[in-house]
Amino acid sequence: QPVEATDDAFWDQFWADTATSVQDVFALVPAAEIRAVREESPSNLATLCYKAVEKLVQGAESGCHTEKERQIVLNCCRLLTRILPYIFEDPDWRGFFWSTVPGAGRGGGDEDDENARPLAESLLLAVADLLFCPDFTVQSHRRSTVDTAEDIHSIDSCEYIWEAGVGFAHSPQPNYIHDLNRTELLKLLLTCFSEAMYLPPSSDSSNANPWVQFFCSTENRHALPLFTSLLNVVCAYDPVGYGIPYNHLLFSDYREPLVEEAAQVLIVTLDYDSSTSSSPTVDGTTTGTAMDDVDPPGPDNLFVNYLSRIHREEDFQFILKGVARLLSNPLVQTYLPNSAKKIQFHQELLVLFWKLCDFNKKFLFFVLKSSDVLDILVPILYFLNDARADQSRVGLMHIGVFILLLLSGERNFGVRLNKPYSVRVPMDIPVFTGTHADLLIIVFHKIITSGHQRLQPLFDCLLTIVVNVSPYLKSLSMVAANKLLHLLEAFSTTWFLFSAVQNHHLVFFLLEVFNNIIQYQFDGNSNLVYAVIRKRNVFHQLANLPTDSQAIQKGLQRKKKTPEPISRTNSQDGVSMEGSRPAAPAEPGTLKTSLVATPGIDKLTEKSQVSEDGTMRSLEPESSQPPPEGNFPSAVSDGEAWSGEAAHPRRDRRRLSSASSSGQWTPTPDWVMSWKSKLPLQTIMRLLQVLVPQVEKICIDKGLTDESEILKFLQHGTLVGLLPVPHPILIRKYQANSGTAMWFRTYMWGVIYLRNVDPPIWYDTDVKLFEIQRV
């Protein structure tokens, strides 16, 4: 039956009960009942919502001084968190919170419609106020009796920032009750923002999230302190605490749920497509003129704006150290199992790190300036290696690779990789002695050779990263050099080259890597040169690749005989690092969320040329010849033709064999010729022509079988004047685009959906942004 809004006795029972936890609310209010009320007595649901919002507004106005008021506020908070997803899933209800309810949200009886705010705005402003409510969510600064309690409207919330860090030096006394209350309010906030989950993915950037838009606008007077509080709480968190092993088993950590919630709210508020606007950085990179006195106007989203304006070295240091500490936490785990608290929100941290680098170029340069970037690199490689066999973690693989692609566009990243790698993180990769570059190559090799099928669209990204750093790698270890040649061997088999329209791009990438190292870093790379000499037949086969129809057919018949993994009697390839566990597939029954396709590498990156003095200039894409880089199709571009071959629509390369089996596309002699003639083999052929006879002569003269002597000879050799003129270094820099913005949105909400299981806020509601599948 419809219940009158004035019937206070009826409505108060929803929030006046004292002891309910959020779990109780979820148990007491089943999904079926919410949907039934929504269909059968919509007026009751509407009344319930606006009554609950009214209570929050009243609580915010009064400052929540009594225990009873706080209890009411928390109960309304939990109730709205429970109900909102069911309002969002029904298109007819979706506008409800944006309609004005006469008299609601403006302190009751005032029937003046001019003044009425939409319910959503009242709700968001009340939550913002409540997050800085003395003695409820922040420490009161008054040390006196209740009579002179602080007036919520006169306090300056910037003095109540939750944690020291960026722009705030004072670290408030920890108070677990405040942490719990903040966590509940942030949960409600995240639920408000989650309307995005109920809209199908679209690359149209105009459909910005109205909840986030309003909350991050100048209407919210707490925007700055709240942004700072969220960022500082996340970056200051130290799960290991005082370093006492196993301490988390003795007492509960109230900070962790708050930090997780803060990280999730933060990345959602920063969901902003930077490709559609002039980039929100303030270091003058967008305009190309010297910095004027006035900063260019940033985006309307204040959170993105504040993030892009952080510039003090000590703030950057604080953020980078915090993110690196938290990302490394799962690695620390593996030495003393369960000794420290293991955080679970590394995916949110990676999204946050991505946003920082994308929106604040000064931060990106700061990260690359010191070898601290390696504290981010090593955990990312650990996650990539660990997740490679797990279907449910494809998204994690993608974001890790995206971050490395972004970093690899800067020269400093390649230079930093030369630092020796000594911290032995337990990974199931061969033991080697070498640098961080070796670690990167060995992990990438492992992903390509032993990851699951759905990672194939990432191959071109992985190899692009290696190409970008290759001109700066001073000396590769023998293990890494062999891995690169093993990849070339696998990718240059005729079966692989002829079985899909863009497989040969991978060979182009690898040849570019060898050329860069030989031309720019020949001196220290005797291991790689030696490996090239040993595997010279691979290069000769490529140069003599058959192009007649008969040979093409024959090549395709040789089904996938994978080349033998390169084994070396005297190398330690078989030995894995101490304490490592091989990557395991997903546990049966694991839920995963679907992702939209990512753009091909040519859409993800733009080419820049590095000139002698180290400056970069962008290159116009050449239209005349097909680029050797990956033009991999994504779900979006199914209909487009590939590089001028209108007759053969681009096809999905999800399965390597699909090309030959489906019969839609067949390789032709002309097609093979079109790219074979462009294979950049001159440098390597010249190197082989000069060095092979010399090495053979040494072996015959000295009866050598020992490779260390040959390596010694190669170390002191030189090819000055014998090689072709070095080509300019080409870097493929990541460029922001709507495709990746959309990908990040679906990935981020998928992570948040799966991580919020207690209480299960969105579980079993009709989300549209992604599909939920069981592995």
Side-chain angles (χ1 to χ4, degrees):
Q1 299 304 308
V3 180
E4 282 301 313
T6 46
D7 183 354
D8 287 341
F10 175 79
W11 296 110
D12 283 349
Q13 63 186 357
F14 285 98
W15 30 79
D17 277 353
T18 43
T20 47
S21 67
V22 68
Q23 284 78 9
D24 295 340
V25 171
F26 272 69
L28 291 170
V29 187
E33 279 189 27
I34 304 176
R35 288 193 175 113
V37 172
R38 187 181 70 191
E39 303 312 320
E40 288 153 30
S41 54
S43 67
N44 284 357
L45 184 59
T47 308
L48 181 65
C49 287
Y50 92 75
K51 282 281 186 190
V53 173
E54 194 175 44
K55 287 293 175 197
L56 290 181
V57 173
Q58 285 166 4
E61 294 277 325
S62 71
C64 283
H65 298 307
T66 65
E67 198 45 53
K68 185 168 188 292
E69 280 181 290
R70 288 172 199 163
Q71 200 55 57
I72 288 176
V73 162
L74 289 173
N75 284 339
C76 290
C77 209
R78 292 159 189 160
L79 195 64
L80 284 166
T81 302
R82 179 62 172 146
I83 292 172
L84 273 166
Y86 296 92
I87 288 195
F88 293 151
E89 73 174 4
D90 184 336
D92 296 338
W93 273 85
R94 212 166 285 144
F96 168 71
F97 268 83
W98 293 97
S99 57
T100 50
V101 181
R106 275 292 191 194
D110 167 7
E111 287 298 312
D112 183 5
D113 263 1
E114 301 299 294
N115 254 346
R117 271 190 182 283
L119 204 53
E121 294 186 8
S122 306
L123 170 57
L124 291 171
L125 293 175
V127 171
D129 276 340
L130 289 165
L131 285 166
F132 292 99
C133 196
D135 291 325
F136 179 51
T137 48
V138 291
Q139 209 69 43
S140 171
H141 291 185
R142 295 265 171 92
R143 286 280 161 266
S144 56
T145 55
V146 181
D147 312 335
T148 57
E150 291 157 277
D151 173 23
I152 193 88
H153 293 288
S154 63
I155 67 170
D156 173 8
S157 46
C158 284
E159 294 172 13
Y160 290 89
I161 288 170
W162 301 347
E163 188 57 67
V166 176
F168 193 68
H170 166 66
S171 194
Q173 199 53 40
N175 178 323
Y176 80 94
I177 300 285
H178 294 173
D179 278 1
L180 291 174
N181 295 341
R182 290 164 178 173
T183 306
E184 298 239 25
L185 285 160
L186 290 179
K187 228 184 238 334
L188 171 57
L189 201 50
L190 194 61
T191 310
C192 291
F193 295 159
S194 70
E195 185 179 3
M197 282 195 211
Y198 297 91
L199 302 169
S202 88
S203 52
D204 176 19
S205 54
S206 61
N207 60 0
N209 184 332
W211 296 84
V212 172
Q213 239 176 341
F214 179 80
F215 191 76
C216 298
S217 72
T218 46
E219 295 264 357
N220 178 359
R221 69 188 179 103
H222 303 293
L224 179 59
L226 194 68
F227 168 76
T228 315
S229 295
L230 295 172
L231 184 63
N232 291 356
V233 157
V234 172
C235 295
Y237 179 56
D238 183 359
V240 181
Y242 300 105
I244 317 159
Y246 302 101
N247 64 358
H248 66 291
L249 301 177
L250 306 177
F251 53 83
S252 191
D253 175 359
Y254 293 101
R255 238 319 116 112
E256 193 190 20
L258 173 65
V259 175
E260 288 199 3
E261 215 64 52
Q264 292 177 0
V265 168
L266 198 51
I267 60 176
V268 169
T269 52
L270 295 171
D271 177 20
Y272 176 81
D273 183 356
S274 62
S275 64
T276 51
S277 65
S278 68
S279 172
T281 56
V282 290
D283 57 355
T285 46
T286 47
T287 50
T289 56
M291 265 306 282
D292 306 311
D293 291 341
V294 287
D295 287 337
D300 303 332
N301 179 326
L302 290 179
F303 279 37
V304 174
N305 211 330
Y306 297 142
L307 184 74
S308 69
R309 286 167 191 268
I310 299 172
H311 61 275
R312 294 192 344 212
E313 294 261 317
E314 56 268 42
D315 290 342
F316 288 156
Q317 189 61 36
F318 164 76
I319 294 173
L320 181 57
K321 279 271 182 281
V323 173
R325 175 178 60 243
L326 290 169
L327 284 178
S328 309
N329 162 272
L331 288 57
V332 178
Q333 282 310 310
T334 33
Y335 293 114
L336 274 176
N338 304 323
S339 63
K341 194 171 184 65
K342 187 166 185 178
I343 64 152
Q344 301 294 332
F345 55 98
H346 47 270
Q347 302 197 77
E348 293 93 317
L349 284 166
L350 289 172
V351 175
L352 178 60
F353 182 76
W354 170 268
K355 300 278 182 202
L356 280 156
C357 292
D358 195 22
F359 294 152
N360 190 324
K361 289 297 171 264
K362 284 183 179 167
F363 177 74
L364 177 61
F365 298 140
F366 175 84
V367 170
L368 292 165
K369 200 170 66 180
S370 70
S371 47
D372 288 350
V373 64
L374 302 175
D375 298 337
I376 300 282
L377 170 73
V378 172
I380 288 179
L381 291 175
Y382 171 85
F383 293 131
L384 291 179
N385 185 57
D386 189 49
R388 70 181 191 274
D390 182 345
Q391 287 264 3
S392 69
R393 289 193 282 171
V394 180
L396 171 64
M397 299 292 294
H398 275 76
I399 186 170
V401 172
F402 283 160
I403 290 175
L404 298 183
L405 179 66
L406 181 72
L407 296 173
S408 74
E410 308 296 334
R411 173 183 174 274
N412 266 353
F413 181 65
V415 174
R416 296 283 160 250
L417 290 180
N418 289 310
K419 188 176 175 181
Y421 174 68
S422 50
V423 282
R424 292 271 169 236
V425 172
M427 288 196 229
D428 58 325
I429 55 172
V431 174
F432 67 96
T433 306
T435 64
H436 284 75
D438 294 313
L439 177 69
L440 177 112
I441 287 168
I442 292 167
V443 169
F444 282 10
H445 173 268
K446 195 93 179 175
I447 294 168
I448 291 171
T449 55
S450 68
H452 57 78
Q453 278 266 251
R454 291 189 52 210
L455 296 179
Q456 277 171 10
L458 278 179
F459 288 2
D460 52 327
C461 255
L462 293 167
L463 293 186
T464 300
I465 294 165
V466 182
V467 173
N468 281 348
V469 301
S470 58
Y472 311 110
L473 305 183
K474 290 191 173 11
S475 70
L476 285 186
S477 69
M478 192 58 96
V479 177
N482 283 330
K483 296 299 182 200
L484 283 176
L485 278 141
H486 180 224
L487 289 179
L488 183 70
E489 214 174 354
F491 290 150
S492 61
T493 58
T494 48
W495 176 83
F496 183 78
L497 282 174
F498 298 157
S499 65
V501 70
Q502 60 292 326
N503 283 356
H504 61 277
H505 297 162
L506 300 172
V507 170
F508 275 87
F509 281 135
L510 285 164
L511 291 176
E512 204 176 326
V513 171
F514 296 133
N515 288 340
N516 281 341
I517 294 178
I518 291 165
Q519 293 194 324
Y520 290 99
Q521 300 289 349
F522 180 81
D523 290 351
N525 273 299
S526 51
N527 287 331
L528 184 79
V529 174
Y530 178 64
V532 168
I533 291 174
R534 277 186 61 249
K535 287 286 173 186
R536 56 191 178 277
N537 63 322
V538 179
F539 299 97
H540 290 303
Q541 278 166 3
L542 264 176
N544 300 316
L545 195 69
T547 54
D548 56 290
S549 306
Q550 207 175 352
I552 292 174
Q553 283 317 309
K554 199 169 147 202
L556 283 173
Q557 251 103 65
R558 266 186 234 147
K559 243 320 179 219
K560 199 171 181 184
K561 286 203 188 86
T562 40
E564 286 304 301
I566 298 176
S567 59
R568 312 270 315 289
T569 42
N570 58 351
S571 84
Q572 304 169 293
D573 250 21
V575 192
S576 266
M577 299 203 172
E578 201 182 339
S580 62
R581 304 181 320 282
E587 297 276 312
T590 309
L591 289 180
K592 71 182 176 101
T593 54
S594 63
L595 290 162
V596 292
T598 54
I601 194 76
D602 53 332
K603 298 271 192 307
L604 266 181
T605 56
E606 57 183 356
K607 281 193 194 166
S608 304
Q609 208 168 26
V610 182
S611 55
E612 313 260 313
D613 58 357
T615 54
M616 291 223 178
R617 61 186 193 86
S618 284
L619 295 179
E620 287 304 306
E622 300 158 43
S623 49
S624 55
Q625 62 170 53
E629 300 77 72
N631 251 339
F632 291 157
S634 61
V636 196
S637 57
D638 258 5
E640 292 172 54
W642 175 77
S643 62
E645 308 224 346
H648 314 304
R650 295 209 251 173
R651 292 190 11 276
D652 206 29
R653 61 168 290 176
R654 208 155 294 147
R655 304 201 71 81
L656 287 175
S657 52
S658 64
S660 41
S661 57
S662 59
Q664 289 176 317
W665 172 83
T666 44
T668 62
D670 287 350
W671 171 77
V672 178
M673 277 307 294
S674 72
W675 54 261
K676 181 189 163 181
S677 58
K678 297 193 182 80
L679 283 169
L681 286 164
Q682 305 80 333
T683 303
I684 296 173
M685 289 313 194
R686 184 79 187 117
L687 170 125
L688 292 173
Q689 197 184 345
V690 174
L691 291 181
V692 171
Q694 297 182 3
V695 171
E696 283 175 345
K697 185 173 186 307
I698 295 179
C699 293
I700 295 165
D701 289 359
K702 303 193 178 173
L704 279 186
T705 50
D706 180 15
E707 60 182 38
S708 62
E709 288 292 323
I710 302 169
L711 285 169
K712 207 169 289 174
F713 160 72
L714 290 173
Q715 266 159 10
H716 301 300
T718 172
L719 290 176
V720 174
L722 295 171
L723 291 178
V725 180
H727 55 289
I729 295 176
L730 267 189
I731 300 284
R732 293 172 184 85
K733 286 171 79 90
Y734 167 80
Q735 57 172 357
N737 61 69
S738 304
T740 40
M742 191 60 233
W743 185 89
F744 271 97
R745 183 171 309 143
T746 53
Y747 171 58
M748 170 182 81
W749 279 114
V751 168
I752 290 171
Y753 177 95
L754 293 174
R755 298 259 296 105
N756 283 277
V757 284
D758 183 28
I761 301 181
W762 299 282
Y763 191 68
D764 271 351
T765 60
D766 186 16
V767 292
K768 295 276 194 297
L769 185 63
F770 44 75
E771 289 166 29
I772 295 106
Q773 300 131 347
R774 276 191 191 281
V775 178

